[in-house]
Amino acid sequence: DAGITQSPRHKVTETGTPVTLRCHQTENHRYMYWYRQDPGHGLRLIHYSYGVKDTDKGEVSDGYSVSRSKTEDFLLTLESATSSQTSVYFCAISESKGGQIAKNIQYFGAGTRLSVL
Amino acid sequence: SQKIEQNSEALNIQEGKTATLTCNYTNYSPAYLQWYRQDPGRGPVFLLLIRENEKEKRKERLKVTFDTTLKQSLFHITASQPADSATYLCALARDSSYKLIFGSGTRLLVRP
């Protein structure tokens, strides 16, 4: 999975508890992304990062926050988990060198399956 | 906003035949269109990228076409094999953005 490690791979939690998912890359890529994947919706962008401490919202950012203190780590936090956040979460990275095409090609981690009861 | 439509019904074909998957989009024409493969329990894997000024792109048994007039891309797998069974996702990018918009994917089943 292109030097991308997501942890944990599976998590079950209760409504109202905070949850943090971690994405760690060894590729030194500039861009990192968090997606959620739900049946019938495909992959939807939650937040993304274009550098250390540089992040922005995606399509479905409500209820999520992110942080990137190092190039290699991108954290996704659910401040107070809800059942609607039960999903599979994917981290992705893309390169900044090589022009626009390289930036567009994304490499994904194996995903984290989160269940909020 | 941009929307992508992929056939939600699974495509079931016989080994050796050509599989053709469709990706339709609305609104603006993307600068780049990509296809990814996703196996159960795994993350998507990049397959091919085609630019808006390219009509066709090939890689081994894979072929992608891009028709900006029809707002459609076709993804072909020739001489299909059971190992090609997976879900295939279409993704679009605007020229000024590195953010992708994904379709919900089409599942391909290749019978031996």
Side-chain angles (χ1 to χ4, degrees):
Chain A
D1 292 309
I4 305 167
T5 304
Q6 290 188 234
S7 59
R9 291 295 315 280
H10 302 272
K11 185 169 183 68
V12 180
T13 190
E14 294 186 349
T15 298
T17 59
V19 176
T20 296
L21 308 183
R22 181 182 184 234
C23 178
H24 178 79
Q25 59 143 329
T26 58
E27 306 296 325
N28 200 35
H29 282 9
R30 177 181 175 186
Y31 300 100
M32 298 186 75
Y33 313 82
W34 276 108
Y35 292 90
R36 60 178 290 174
Q37 187 173 39
D38 305 288
H41 287 280
L43 285 159
R44 292 181 291 174
L45 183 64
I46 304 171
H47 282 280
Y48 63 98
S49 171
Y50 45 96
V52 173
K53 297 187 179 178
D54 291 324
T55 65
D56 206 346
K57 296 179 180 179
E59 178 190 359
V60 289
S61 59
D62 287 348
Y64 302 95
S65 62
V66 290
S67 66
R68 191 169 178 199
S69 58
K70 298 185 289 185
T71 299
E72 57 266 34
D73 290 325
F74 193 29
L75 304 180
L76 177 70
T77 298
L78 290 65
E79 301 291 346
S80 177
T82 67
S83 58
S84 64
Q85 294 176 312
T86 292
S87 186
V88 180
Y89 291 86
F90 287 101
C91 173
I93 64 175
S94 66
E95 176 64 271
S96 57
K97 302 167 191 168
Q100 191 66 34
I101 289 181
K103 288 181 197 174
N104 269 272
I105 297 172
Q106 295 187 9
Y107 303 93
F108 286 80
T112 294
R113 185 172 293 276
L114 176 67
S115 296
V116 183
L117 306 178
Chain B
S1 61
Q2 182 69 285
K3 291 186 179 179
I4 302 172
E5 294 176 354
Q6 293 187 259
N7 197 338
S8 59
E9 291 185 16
L11 178 63
N12 199 323
I13 65 168
Q14 186 73 40
E15 182 177 8
K17 301 292 186 184
T18 296
T20 298
L21 306 177
T22 304
C23 173
N24 295 299
Y25 59 91
T26 60
N27 299 335
Y28 63 83
S29 279
Y32 309 99
L33 189 146
Q34 302 181 39
W35 285 87
Y36 288 77
R37 169 183 173 142
Q38 186 173 22
D39 292 287
R42 306 289 299 272
V45 175
F46 169 75
L47 296 175
L48 279 170
L49 178 150
I50 187 166
R51 303 184 212 200
E52 61 179 334
N53 60 354
E54 296 177 321
K55 296 291 185 186
E56 183 179 297
K57 202 77 168 281
R58 291 176 185 261
K59 178 183 176 182
E60 298 173 351
R61 294 185 296 112
L62 308 180
K63 184 177 83 172
V64 172
T65 62
F66 194 4
D67 189 326
T68 55
T69 301
L70 293 178
K71 296 189 175 181
Q72 181 181 81
S73 174
L74 299 179
F75 177 77
H76 307 271
I77 305 176
T78 58
S80 61
Q81 305 165 0
D84 295 326
S85 298
T87 296
Y88 291 87
L89 308 174
C90 168
L92 309 180
R94 300 189 84 157
D95 185 40
S96 60
S97 171
Y98 42 85
K99 293 184 288 183
L100 296 179
I101 301 171
F102 283 86
S104 54
T106 299
R107 189 175 171 206
L108 172 65
L109 299 171
V110 182
R111 303 188 310 274

